Amino acid sequence: MKHDFTSVQNIYIICGKTDMRKGIDGLAALIQDSFQLDPYSDAVFLFSGWSKDRYKCLYFDGDGFAMLYKRLDNGKLQWPKDEKEVRNLTQQELRWLLEGLSLQQPKAIAKSAKGVF
């Protein structure tokens, strides 16, 4: 099963450490109860545990939940530490995160606002 998540409306990262023993129901309850978000929305939710070398992705595809679990062979993710925070990521930030980079890239060229000429 391969999904294309580039058209998903929101990408949420649940910061801090999540109990990776939780399954679909436990993660959906965490999304609803702790962060007041709708797990049935057009969104991908990302979770990581203590070791930062694995993550889970939860997504509702219209007729059920899909959960991806990935363990990295080499390296660790630079997962944000604030356990009470959920962040909405851009596609670019998601790529950075999953490539082992920080969500803030100080040398990246930032998008600029529309100018007046």
Side-chain angles (χ1 to χ4, degrees):
M1 169 175 80
K2 193 171 191 177
H3 287 284
D4 178 17
F5 295 119
T6 56
S7 63
V8 172
Q9 190 174 25
N10 289 299
I11 302 166
Y12 292 109
I13 181 173
I14 309 302
C15 300
K17 300 170 184 86
T18 301
D19 182 354
M20 295 301 277
R21 297 173 294 181
K22 291 182 187 279
I24 290 172
D25 295 337
L27 295 175
L30 179 70
I31 292 165
Q32 250 178 348
D33 298 342
S34 297
F35 300 105
Q36 289 72 47
L37 293 170
D38 182 11
Y40 291 95
S41 64
D42 184 24
V44 170
F45 299 92
L46 299 164
F47 308 86
S48 184
W50 292 91
S51 61
K52 306 287 187 269
D53 67 344
R54 56 198 76 199
Y55 66 92
K56 285 186 178 181
C57 170
L58 187 66
Y59 175 69
F60 183 76
D61 66 0
D63 63 1
F65 283 96
M67 184 170 65
L68 167 76
Y69 179 71
K70 183 167 184 174
R71 180 184 54 83
L72 302 172
D73 282 341
N74 295 311
K76 299 206 182 267
L77 300 168
Q78 293 195 31
W79 208 265
K81 293 180 175 33
D82 186 359
E83 295 193 23
K84 304 251 187 272
E85 183 183 13
V86 61
R87 294 178 57 182
N88 197 345
L89 302 180
T90 65
Q91 290 286 339
Q92 186 172 33
E93 289 172 326
L94 175 63
R95 280 192 307 277
W96 286 338
L97 178 72
L98 299 181
E99 290 172 359
L101 302 172
S102 172
L103 293 178
Q104 289 79 31
Q105 292 295 314
K107 293 186 180 183
I109 298 172
K111 293 191 179 206
S112 63
K114 193 183 250 186
V116 178
F117 294 97

